[in-house]
């Protein structure tokens, strides 16, 4: 083989191995943080996560940049694993009331699927930066209900007020209050009852003297 034909170093192979190793480290750190969060937000520090995952604190900072970045990753990754992307299908439901009910079922199933989700909301109370990031994620929930409510006939101002009320009724604070004495499925039913009562009170999607089905 002539010098001009000598093979190039296997850079792509080495790079792929490094990327795979980095992804695995990222996953281990998210898992470690999720477990720690079950004990409360105060349990989650960069040092504690590093120790739980068996890496250095510098590794955690390199992966997430900050505690806020770490907590955001925990929320998003747990949502991805659980399948929160199914909400996109719910938004396409042409039957707005059915879609709203499905959205509430998914939210309650999601929030009840892992103790760390409630912990993330606790963390926001003492972490303004993370609170802002979490608020952005909560706006996705508002978008789901706004999209579905737009399919119901009614006054624009009434629809706006209704959307704000539904947003409040279907949030984590309400879920935590109701789930103290109920399983997630019963919480979903209570939320749907309240949500459809609000929708009917604002007469969205109702004929002149009609009533909604509540489902």
């Amino acid at each position: 083989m002539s010098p001009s034909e000598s093979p190039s170093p296997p850079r792509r192979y080495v790079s792929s191995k490094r990327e795979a190793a980095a992804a695995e480290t990222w996953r281990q750190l998210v898992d470690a943080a999720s477990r720690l969060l079950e004990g409360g937000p105060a349990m989650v520090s960069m040092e504690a996560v590093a120790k739980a995952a068996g890496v250095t604190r510098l590794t955690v900072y390199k992966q997430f940049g900050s505690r806020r970045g770490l907590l955001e990753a925990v929320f998003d990754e747990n949502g991805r694993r659980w399948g929160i992307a199914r909400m996109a299908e719910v938004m396409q439901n042409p039957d707005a009331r059915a879609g709203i009910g499905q959205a509430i079922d998914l939210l309650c199933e999601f929030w009840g699927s892992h103790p760390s989700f409630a912990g993330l909301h606790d963390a926001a109370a003492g972490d303004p930066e993370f609170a802002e990031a979490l608020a952005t994620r909560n706006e996705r929930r508002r978008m789901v209900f706004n999209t579905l409510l737009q399919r119901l006939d009614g006054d624009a101002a009434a629809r706006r007020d209704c959307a704000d009320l539904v947003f409040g009724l279907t949030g984590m604070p309400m879920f935590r209050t109701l789930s103290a004495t109920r399983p997630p499925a019963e919480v979903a039913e209570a939320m749907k009852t309240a949500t459809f009562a609000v929708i009917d009170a604002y007469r969205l999607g109702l004929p002149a003297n009609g009533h909604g089905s509540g489902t």
Side-chain angles (χ1 to χ4, degrees):
M1 179 180 293
S2 67
S4 62
E5 297 175 332
S6 59
S8 301
R11 293 178 180 175
R12 181 174 299 176
Y13 174 73
V14 173
S15 176
S16 296
K17 288 188 65 176
R18 287 177 178 171
E19 290 174 0
E24 176 62 18
T25 298
W26 187 93
R27 183 191 63 78
Q28 291 175 352
L29 291 170
V30 168
D31 288 346
S34 295
R35 291 192 298 271
L36 289 170
L37 198 53
E38 293 178 19
M43 300 296 294
V44 183
S45 66
M46 304 299 263
E47 293 84 355
V49 172
K51 183 177 180 180
V55 300
T56 66
R57 184 175 63 174
L58 180 61
T59 297
V60 185
Y61 276 103
K62 284 183 176 179
Q63 288 283 349
F64 303 102
S66 65
R67 180 173 176 271
R68 169 184 169 178
L70 172 62
L71 289 168
E72 288 178 340
V74 170
F75 188 83
D76 289 345
E77 178 61 9
N78 277 295
R80 185 194 67 77
R81 292 176 184 175
W82 175 82
I84 196 64
R86 287 181 288 169
M87 195 65 81
E89 299 176 10
V90 170
M91 291 175 64
Q92 302 304 316
N93 194 330
D95 184 335
R97 292 180 72 97
I100 289 167
Q102 291 169 347
I104 292 172
D105 285 337
L106 282 175
L107 285 168
C108 289
E109 183 183 342
F110 175 51
W111 284 328
S113 67
H114 200 292
S116 68
F117 296 145
L120 282 170
H121 286 72
D122 288 342
D127 190 331
E129 287 188 336
F130 179 63
E132 183 177 348
L134 191 58
T136 299
R137 285 159 174 75
N138 274 329
E139 285 301 313
R140 299 172 187 171
R141 176 167 54 86
R142 186 191 296 274
M143 180 183 68
V144 169
F145 289 115
N146 283 352
T147 298
L148 291 166
L149 287 169
Q150 287 297 323
R151 298 190 185 123
L152 295 175
D153 293 334
D155 179 73
R159 187 182 291 108
R160 182 180 62 250
D161 290 345
C162 185
D164 288 340
L165 286 167
V166 170
F167 181 72
L169 286 169
T170 59
M172 172 58 81
M174 182 62 72
F175 176 83
R176 293 187 68 181
T177 296
L178 295 174
S179 63
T181 56
R182 301 169 181 83
E186 290 185 12
V187 173
E189 290 306 313
M191 282 187 174
K192 284 187 283 187
T193 296
T195 294
F196 290 126
V198 168
I199 291 172
D200 289 346
Y202 279 93
R203 311 200 63 76
L204 296 182
L206 297 180
N209 294 303
H211 298 280
S213 64
T215 58

